[in-house]
Amino acid sequence: MTAHLVNILLIEDNAAHAIIIRHAVQQVDPNVRLFHLQDGAEATKYIQSKAPYDDVNKYPRPDVVFLDLNLPGSSGFMILREIRAEGEFRYTPVVILTSSESREDIRNAYKEGANAYLVKPIGFLAFKEVLGTAITFWAEHNQVP
Amino acid sequence: MAKPKPSKAHGSPDYMNPATLEALFGQSAYGIIVIDLESTILWENQAFLRVMGAPAGLRESRLLGVKMKELPNVQGNPVGALILRLIHDLPERMTLEEPFESVYGKKMFVKVEVHRIDGGDGAPLGFIGSFEDVTIFQREEQKIRTIAEEFLDLDLSTIDKKDASTGHSSKQERMEVVEQLVERLRQREQDLSVLIHTISHHLRTPIISVSGLMGVVRQAAHEGRIDDMNQVLSEIESSMSRLSRTFRSVVEYNDFGAEVEETTRISTNNMIEAVLLSLSKLIAQHGATIIVDPNLPILTGHRKRVQRMFLEVIKNAVIYGSPDQSDHVIRVYPETGEGIQYIIVEDRGPGIPDSVAHHIFQPFARSHDDLKEDQTGVGLALAHRIAQAHGWGITVELSQGNCRIVFSISQPNKPKPTRDRPIQKLQPIGPP
């Protein structure tokens, strides 16, 4: 469990996967605040602090972004590019969390600036383990400018 | 054993001596003959009889040599003509590679190389010829061409130039064909890899959902949160349903692409009528108007698969066509051009997002949430597979406000696949 409050932005279109991640995160670390967005357009607004996400206190800059690759409206890669183009988010750790095991997706993710690429595991316990490890590393131990 | 290279120098083997020839070429894989200036065959090895297609049991070919001289059809064939030219021109060396019919009626492709034999004083004595049966090689080349043209849809016209002297494509041209084949196969392999990853992803997604949600529902049950349990169980049902549909689609995608063996004549108008009947509920839901030209052609194909092909394309137009019901018009009509019959399914909506248009006929081209109405993302890919299995072309043509799926059909069935129609410059659709 992290020693301080951690804000995580989850960009995930699959409702079932979002439920699993939310429950897993809650059990792994009660100090985590999860902000869930379902599509690329919403994610862009959040990143650019546009309404309805213009209140920084309500929608803070995340410590870690969990990003799915298949999103309606735009691909996860486009969101990743936008995140890296936005000065405030340039160093924010972005963890790709996807069902895709494609080598091309993995290569493109790192090319576009992802910090890690995690394949969604099978089973709730595995989800807890993967997410717990990722949160601890990227939000607790990792240092960003 | 090496092919003969007679020398004019003193001390070279006596090519007119049968004992010397037997020792040199008796066991050669090449057919070897020695003929004199009267075109009489003085000596030959057994391989010559085999290469020339002589019947089994014929022990020597003096008779064959006589026949070659006597039969008009032999004199008219390339090998006979070569012998006559040898006698007439006395060249030092000649080669020939051409199909011909042997004296016994066997269709062959023989490569002939003939060297002049000179005596000690330099006067010509006769000729020694080596005959190589390259029929198998030519058949292999034909197989490559068949694969290239029919299965990989390669256009060989630019490299299929006949060499005037040999009568067939050059080695370099054949290599170009093979290189193109290799490149195309490499592309196929790459496409297959992408397909496997895509299918794997689409099957894995609901499995991740169900397995993860089982843990969530277990937790909810433990804590007595009934409402949460119901919500999660609904998600599990939904994921299982998606998984089942995806499995079925993958199997259909495989089965419907198999070679079409049984065909019947099909009235496209009657078939479209049946398709519209089965889609009537969906059409009503979307408020779509379907206008079918009464002069659609008669097709020859597999009835069940062709019906499915039209069903998938029309269903796609109904679901993804114009969201404005007053403008939700779908037209099905024929066109002809350059001996090819086209059947066009046209709607006024965006139909297919630009981002996926270039690979719309690949399975799962649309992402999960671009899919509507419980679609699995295999419909148009299925239509494409069915069209391909019939040797028909299928293309998508997009312009602002218009989407056309164009089937290119050759009637009656042509041996070669009909190529896709070149992309047309579209005009806006006028009032029906």
Side-chain angles (χ1 to χ4, degrees), chain A residues 33-47:
Chain A
R33 276 205 301 175
L34 193 71
F35 298 87
H36 174 214
L37 303 174
Q38 289 186 338
D39 61 49
E42 291 298 303
T44 301
K45 285 181 197 166
Y46 194 107
I47 292 160

Side-chain angles (χ1 to χ4, degrees), chain B residues 200-268:
Chain B
S200 155
H201 173 75
H202 276 73
L203 292 175
R204 192 179 162 85
T205 297
I207 291 172
I208 290 170
S209 301
V210 172
S211 62
L213 289 171
M214 293 297 283
V216 177
V217 81
R218 193 174 289 123
Q219 188 76 30
H222 180 71
E223 293 167 8
R225 290 182 280 114
I226 302 299
D227 286 349
D228 281 359
M229 277 176 64
N230 283 333
Q231 187 203 348
V232 174
L233 286 171
S234 296
E235 288 292 344
I236 290 175
E237 281 171 355
S238 164
S239 296
M240 289 302 290
S241 170
R242 174 179 285 179
L243 185 61
S244 168
R245 287 197 307 273
T246 305
F247 269 124
R248 196 169 58 239
S249 297
V250 169
V251 172
E252 284 180 335
Y253 181 76
N254 180 64
D255 291 351
F256 279 33
E259 191 179 344
V260 176
E261 288 172 348
E262 290 177 17
T263 59
T264 52
R265 281 171 60 78
I266 300 163
S267 159
T268 312

Side-chain angles (χ1 to χ4, degrees), chain B residues 369-384:
Chain B
D369 288 77
D370 281 339
L371 294 170
K372 298 177 184 173
E373 319 273 345
D374 289 343
Q375 297 296 291
T376 57
V378 179
L380 289 182
L382 208 56
H384 183 250

Side-chain angles (χ1 to χ4, degrees), chain A residues 17-83:
Chain A
H17 292 188
I19 290 172
I20 298 165
I21 293 167
R22 180 176 290 283
H23 279 78
V25 166
Q26 276 173 359
Q27 289 190 22
V28 163
D29 194 338
N31 282 338
V32 170
R33 276 205 301 175
L34 193 71
F35 298 87
H36 174 214
L37 303 174
Q38 289 186 338
D39 61 49
E42 291 298 303
T44 301
K45 285 181 197 166
Y46 194 107
I47 292 160
Q48 296 173 350
S49 296
K50 288 184 178 170
Y53 307 107
D54 47 355
D55 182 348
V56 173
N57 292 320
K58 203 171 168 189
Y59 301 104
R61 196 183 87 164
D63 298 294
V64 184
V65 175
F66 283 135
L67 175 62
D68 188 20
L69 290 182
N70 294 309
L71 296 168
S74 61
S75 79
F77 295 120
M78 281 176 63
I79 302 300
L80 186 52
R81 237 168 280 149
E82 285 176 15
I83 289 173

Side-chain angles (χ1 to χ4, degrees), chain B residues 134-152:
Chain B
V134 290
T135 311
I136 292 173
F137 174 74
Q138 290 298 324
R139 283 183 189 152
E140 290 302 317
E141 184 186 277
Q142 193 50 50
K143 278 183 196 167
I144 289 174
R145 287 181 179 283
T146 304
I147 293 168
E149 291 178 345
E150 292 190 13
F151 294 96
L152 297 173

Side-chain angles (χ1 to χ4, degrees), chain B residues 410-421:
Chain B
S410 299
Q411 292 291 337
N413 282 343
K414 290 176 74 177
K416 283 184 180 181
T418 307
R419 294 185 192 283
D420 291 336
R421 181 166 92 155

